[in-house]
Amino acid sequence: MKKLLTYFREQVGVKLILVVQLLVVAFALAAALRPAAAYTFTADQWESIAQGSKIDYDEDGRIGVTEMTDGEDILQTPPMTLPKGHYTVTLDYRYVPSVWEGGVERRSCLYFTSAEAGTVTGEKPCIDVKKQQDTLTLNVSDDSETVRLVAHNDGGIFTLGTVRIEQDMLYAGACVAGWLVLFVLLDAFLLLTVPGSPVRLADSELCACLWVLCAVAVLTCAPALTNGGAANGADWSFHLSRIEGIANGLREGQFPVRVYSMAKDGYGYAPSLFYGELLLYFPAVLRLLGMSVQGAYHTYLLAVQLLTAGVAFFSLRQIFKQNKTALVGSALYMLSTYHLYKIYWLSAVGEYTAMAFLPLIPAALYELYDKKPLTRRRARKACAELVVGFGMLLQVHLLSLEMTVLATAVFCLLHLRRTFTKPVLLTWLKAAALTVLLNLWFLLPFLTLMLSGDYNNMYTGSPENGGQIVKNCGLRIAELFGWQKNHNNLGPELLAGGFVLLWCWLTLRERDAQPEGVNRKDIRVGLWAVGFAALACWMSTNTFPWQAMGRIPVVGRILVAIQFPGRYLSLATVLLVLAAACGLSALRRTGYARPVAVLLLGVSVFGAALFFRDQQADTAYLGDGGQLIYSEYKKFNIGWYFDGLYLPDGAHETQNGYESTVPVTTVEVTSIEQADGITTLTCAETTGQDQHAELPLLYYPGYTVIEGPGTAFKTANGLVGVTVPANYTGTIRVTYREPKRWLAADVVSLVTLVGVLLIIRRKKCKGKRKDQPEKG
C-alpha cells in the first residue's frame, strides 16, 4: 500500500487522471443534489400547433381534437429549461383512436422537441388506449432552455388535460454511482497494465495484449457508441421489450421474473419460462435505476463485448500458452463477420451473448482430451469451464446450447476410449450434475411446460414438414463464402485462417516436430476444428438433408427447432478462429507467423469497416415503459405480433387481442381492471351454482387468486379462467405467483451456488496455508 501511495504522489500523469475523474464525479454529484426540474401545465396552457384539425375543449375541460380527424401534431407546451437527464411525464387525457385498413387502431404519442439540435433523443412513446391517465418516460441528452412537450394525434379524438414533467433524480444519483464504479474498474486496469505501476502484472507482453484487446472490443462496439446506434436490427424491439418486461416484473415483486404483465397489451407473456434471461437482469436493474431502456441495452452490449474479448483471450491463451496467438485469435473472433452480423444486423441478443461463452468449451476439451495424464488441477479447471460454458449457454440461448451439445457429443463419441477413462468420465459427470443443479431454477419450469404438451408453437412446422421448412431457410453455398451486403456469412479472413492450418498440415514435415520446431499437436487440434467447422458450414446450407433429420423420432423435432440453420455459423466461427490460431502457433518457429497474422487481421479489420458502412441506417428511438408494446402498432393492436413462440395451445391471436372460440364466461361481469400485474374482476353470480369467468390473461402455471374466493385455471382458449362460487358478488383479484415446486428449485440452485463458493474459498485458503513457510 505504501508503494502504491508513493506512486500516486510522484506520477504527474496519475494525478491528472485522478483530478479529471474527481471533476466528473463532482459534476455528476452536483447534478444529483440540485432540485429536480419540474413543470406542470393545465389544459388552458397547452398551445395549439394544429394545421388541419379544429382545437376545442371537451366536456371534461380537456383541450384537443374533439372530432375524428387525421393525424398531425396538435398541441405543445410552453418552452422549458431542462437539464440533461431522465424525465417522467404524467398525463391526463381522453383518446378514441381511428383505425387503419383492417381495423388496426392508430396510436397517439408525445415527444420532446427543442430548438437546439441534439438536445433531445427523439423517442415518441405511445399513450395507453385503455387508460385516461398514463406516465411516460422521456430523455434529454443535453441542457436546453427550449424544450417543449408535443402531443401528436395519430388519428381520432385526442384531448389533453393537466400534464406534469418531472426530472427523475434516482437516475441522477445512479449516474454518480455509475461513474464511481467505472473509474474504479478503469483505475484497477491501469494499475495492472501501465509501466511503472508497483502492482503491474509481471508479464509485460500480456499487459500490451490486454490494451489491444480492449481496443478491439471498443471497435466492435463502435456503432453502439453513436447516438441511437445498434438499435435497428431485426429483433431489437423484442429484446428491448424483454429488458423492460424484466424491469417491470421486478418492480411488481416477481423474482425471478416469469411473466411480463405489460406484454401483449396486458395479456401477459412468458418468454422467461422458455428462454434464459439471466444476464438481462443487468440492464433491467439499470432500468430500475432510471436509465433509458436503450441506454441500458447499449451498456449491456458494451459489457458483453468486453466479456467476449476476455473469455476468448483466456481460452486461447490456455490452449496455446502464447499471448500474441491468443490476441490475434480473439481479434479475429470479435471482428468476425458473423459476430457483427448478429450484433447489429439482427440484434440477436441471445446468440451474440452465447458467442461470449462458446470458446470455453474447446478450452475445456483441450484439457480433458490432451494425451498427457489428467491431473486434478486440470480436471477442476475443465470442470469449471464446462459448468460455466454450458450453464451460461443454457441461460442465454437454448439453440446455441443445442448446437454445442450436439457437436460436443459427436466429439466425445469419436474419442470414446478417452471419454470413458475414469478421470475424464468423472469430470463430465461432475460438470453435468453441477450444471443441472445450478440451473434447476430455470430447468424445472422449462421442462414442466415443454413436457406438458401445452406449448408447442416454438417448433417449426410438423414432424413431416419441419425439416423442409428449415432446409428452405438454409444459406446457399455462394452466400456462405461471399461478402454479400447483409454479411450473413463467415468472412474471408476465417476461411483464410482455415486454409493456413491446412497448408501447415500438408507442408510442414515430421522433422519439424522437434522441440525447436513445429508443435504438431497444434496442427492436430486445428484439423479437428476445421473438420467440425466444415460440418457446421454444411449444416447451415440448404444442401444439408434437413428433411431426413426432421423425420427422426423425438430427436428430429428438437433438431428442426433451430428454425434458421445459418445459426450453425456461430459454431463454425469459433472453430475456424481456433483453426487459424493453431496455424499461427504452428508457424511461430518458421518465421511466417507474423506476416500471416498481419494479413488475417488486415482482412478482418477491412471486413469490419465494410460491415459498419453497409449497416448504417436511420434508427427509430422507442420510448421507455409499457409503450414498447406498441412498437409495431401499425400492423397489430397488440405488441410483439411477430412472436407467437410461447403462446399456450388454444390461444388464437388476432390483431386486437385473443379470440375466445369456446364460451367460458357464465357470470355477470361488471368490470375487469389491470394494474401493477394484478387483474381485478368485479362480477355477480345469481344462478346459485358455481360459474366461471375468463380473464384477458394468457395462461401460464402460477396464476393465483390472491383476494376473494375461487381458483384459477386454464381455459380452452389458452387464457386464465376463474371459478366464481355460487351467489358470490364482489371482486376477485388474480396475479402471478411462482408455484411452490418451482420455488423449491430456486432454493436448490441457490444452495448449490453457495456450496460451490464455499468449496472454492476453502481450497484457496488451504492453498495459501501450504504456500506459507513453516515456523521454527
Side-chain angles (χ1 to χ4, degrees), residues 4 7-8 14 186-194 197-201:
L4 200 58
Y7 178 72
F8 287 155
V14 173
L186 177 61
D187 292 345
F189 178 76
L190 291 174
L191 288 172
L192 290 172
T193 58
V194 170
S197 169
V199 292
R200 186 178 187 237
L201 297 174

Tab-separated table of all heavy atoms in Angstrom, residues 4 7-8 14 186-194 197-201:
chain	number	residue	atom	x	y	z
A	4	LEU	N	2.119	2.001	-3.390
A	4	LEU	CA	1.034	2.500	-4.226
A	4	LEU	C	0.784	3.989	-3.969
A	4	LEU	O	0.613	4.775	-4.911
A	4	LEU	CB	-0.233	1.684	-3.955
A	4	LEU	CG	-1.324	1.708	-5.025
A	4	LEU	CD1	-0.782	1.223	-6.348
A	4	LEU	CD2	-2.497	0.837	-4.583
A	7	TYR	N	3.511	5.984	-5.512
A	7	TYR	CA	3.311	6.049	-6.963
A	7	TYR	C	2.302	7.132	-7.322
A	7	TYR	O	2.502	7.915	-8.253
A	7	TYR	CB	2.856	4.680	-7.457
A	7	TYR	CG	2.575	4.609	-8.938
A	7	TYR	CD1	3.604	4.638	-9.868
A	7	TYR	CD2	1.261	4.499	-9.399
A	7	TYR	CE1	3.352	4.566	-11.231
A	7	TYR	CE2	0.998	4.416	-10.747
A	7	TYR	CZ	2.046	4.460	-11.660
A	7	TYR	OH	1.781	4.395	-13.000
A	8	PHE	N	1.191	7.187	-6.576
A	8	PHE	CA	0.188	8.220	-6.821
A	8	PHE	C	0.766	9.617	-6.590
A	8	PHE	O	0.448	10.563	-7.310
A	8	PHE	CB	-1.019	8.013	-5.901
A	8	PHE	CG	-1.882	6.847	-6.285
A	8	PHE	CD1	-2.677	6.208	-5.342
A	8	PHE	CD2	-1.897	6.363	-7.585
A	8	PHE	CE1	-3.477	5.126	-5.697
A	8	PHE	CE2	-2.691	5.290	-7.945
A	8	PHE	CZ	-3.472	4.661	-7.000
A	14	VAL	N	-0.671	10.309	-13.280
A	14	VAL	CA	-1.657	9.685	-12.394
A	14	VAL	C	-2.474	10.751	-11.685
A	14	VAL	O	-3.707	10.639	-11.565
A	14	VAL	CB	-0.956	8.758	-11.381
A	14	VAL	CG1	-1.956	8.249	-10.345
A	14	VAL	CG2	-0.290	7.599	-12.089
A	186	LEU	N	-11.597	1.164	-14.202
A	186	LEU	CA	-10.572	1.711	-15.093
A	186	LEU	C	-9.241	1.859	-14.368
A	186	LEU	O	-8.182	1.503	-14.908
A	186	LEU	CB	-11.041	3.064	-15.626
A	186	LEU	CG	-10.056	3.821	-16.527
A	186	LEU	CD1	-9.745	2.996	-17.771
A	186	LEU	CD2	-10.610	5.194	-16.917
A	187	ASP	N	-9.275	2.388	-13.154
A	187	ASP	CA	-8.038	2.565	-12.395
A	187	ASP	C	-7.381	1.223	-12.080
A	187	ASP	O	-6.139	1.101	-12.117
A	187	ASP	CB	-8.322	3.330	-11.102
A	187	ASP	CG	-8.708	4.773	-11.359
A	187	ASP	OD1	-8.475	5.249	-12.487
A	187	ASP	OD2	-9.260	5.419	-10.445
A	188	ALA	N	-8.186	0.224	-11.750
A	188	ALA	CA	-7.625	-1.106	-11.482
A	188	ALA	C	-6.933	-1.648	-12.727
A	188	ALA	O	-5.835	-2.224	-12.656
A	188	ALA	CB	-8.732	-2.049	-11.020
A	189	PHE	N	-7.566	-1.462	-13.891
A	189	PHE	CA	-6.965	-1.914	-15.149
A	189	PHE	C	-5.659	-1.180	-15.419
A	189	PHE	O	-4.652	-1.791	-15.814
A	189	PHE	CB	-7.950	-1.697	-16.294
A	189	PHE	CG	-7.416	-2.080	-17.640
A	189	PHE	CD1	-7.308	-3.410	-18.006
A	189	PHE	CD2	-6.988	-1.107	-18.539
A	189	PHE	CE1	-6.791	-3.764	-19.249
A	189	PHE	CE2	-6.480	-1.454	-19.779
A	189	PHE	CZ	-6.381	-2.788	-20.136
A	190	LEU	N	-5.655	0.135	-15.211
A	190	LEU	CA	-4.446	0.912	-15.456
A	190	LEU	C	-3.316	0.484	-14.524
A	190	LEU	O	-2.161	0.332	-14.944
A	190	LEU	CB	-4.746	2.401	-15.270
A	190	LEU	CG	-5.665	3.041	-16.316
A	190	LEU	CD1	-5.984	4.479	-15.927
A	190	LEU	CD2	-5.053	2.984	-17.707
A	191	LEU	N	-3.632	0.285	-13.245
A	191	LEU	CA	-2.600	-0.107	-12.286
A	191	LEU	C	-2.001	-1.466	-12.617
A	191	LEU	O	-0.825	-1.725	-12.356
A	191	LEU	CB	-3.180	-0.127	-10.871
A	191	LEU	CG	-3.483	1.240	-10.247
A	191	LEU	CD1	-4.225	1.077	-8.929
A	191	LEU	CD2	-2.196	2.026	-10.027
A	192	LEU	N	-2.809	-2.344	-13.197
A	192	LEU	CA	-2.326	-3.685	-13.518
A	192	LEU	C	-1.537	-3.736	-14.825
A	192	LEU	O	-0.804	-4.702	-15.071
A	192	LEU	CB	-3.497	-4.662	-13.608
A	192	LEU	CG	-4.195	-5.021	-12.288
A	192	LEU	CD1	-5.448	-5.842	-12.555
A	192	LEU	CD2	-3.256	-5.772	-11.354
A	193	THR	N	-1.675	-2.715	-15.676
A	193	THR	CA	-1.088	-2.816	-17.020
A	193	THR	C	-0.130	-1.694	-17.381
A	193	THR	O	0.652	-1.844	-18.336
A	193	THR	CB	-2.211	-2.853	-18.081
A	193	THR	OG1	-3.025	-1.677	-17.959
A	193	THR	CG2	-3.079	-4.086	-17.913
A	194	VAL	N	-0.158	-0.550	-16.684
A	194	VAL	CA	0.674	0.592	-17.063
A	194	VAL	C	2.108	0.391	-16.568
A	194	VAL	O	2.319	0.012	-15.405
A	194	VAL	CB	0.082	1.903	-16.497
A	194	VAL	CG1	1.065	3.061	-16.685
A	194	VAL	CG2	-1.227	2.215	-17.177
A	197	SER	N	3.855	0.958	-12.686
A	197	SER	CA	2.941	0.721	-11.569
A	197	SER	C	3.524	-0.335	-10.636
A	197	SER	O	4.035	-1.370	-11.098
A	197	SER	CB	1.578	0.264	-12.084
A	197	SER	OG	0.764	-0.214	-11.026
A	198	PRO	N	3.444	-0.119	-9.336
A	198	PRO	CA	4.009	-1.106	-8.388
A	198	PRO	C	3.251	-2.419	-8.359
A	198	PRO	O	3.765	-3.417	-7.831
A	198	PRO	CB	3.912	-0.389	-7.043
A	198	PRO	CG	2.837	0.631	-7.216
A	198	PRO	CD	2.908	1.069	-8.642
A	199	VAL	N	2.044	-2.451	-8.889
A	199	VAL	CA	1.265	-3.703	-8.897
A	199	VAL	C	1.053	-4.200	-10.321
A	199	VAL	O	0.162	-4.999	-10.588
A	199	VAL	CB	-0.100	-3.493	-8.194
A	199	VAL	CG1	0.089	-3.246	-6.719
A	199	VAL	CG2	-0.897	-2.368	-8.833
A	200	ARG	N	1.885	-3.720	-11.249
A	200	ARG	CA	1.737	-4.137	-12.644
A	200	ARG	C	1.989	-5.634	-12.787
A	200	ARG	O	2.825	-6.217	-12.074
A	200	ARG	CB	2.723	-3.370	-13.517
A	200	ARG	CG	2.552	-3.642	-15.021
A	200	ARG	CD	3.537	-2.814	-15.798
A	200	ARG	NE	3.283	-2.920	-17.225
A	200	ARG	CZ	4.177	-3.321	-18.125
A	200	ARG	NH1	5.381	-3.687	-17.719
A	200	ARG	NH2	3.876	-3.352	-19.402
A	201	LEU	N	1.278	-6.253	-13.724
A	201	LEU	CA	1.479	-7.669	-13.985
A	201	LEU	C	2.905	-7.919	-14.446
A	201	LEU	O	3.504	-7.095	-15.153
A	201	LEU	CB	0.490	-8.147	-15.060
A	201	LEU	CG	-0.996	-8.063	-14.702
A	201	LEU	CD1	-1.857	-8.422	-15.909
A	201	LEU	CD2	-1.325	-8.972	-13.536
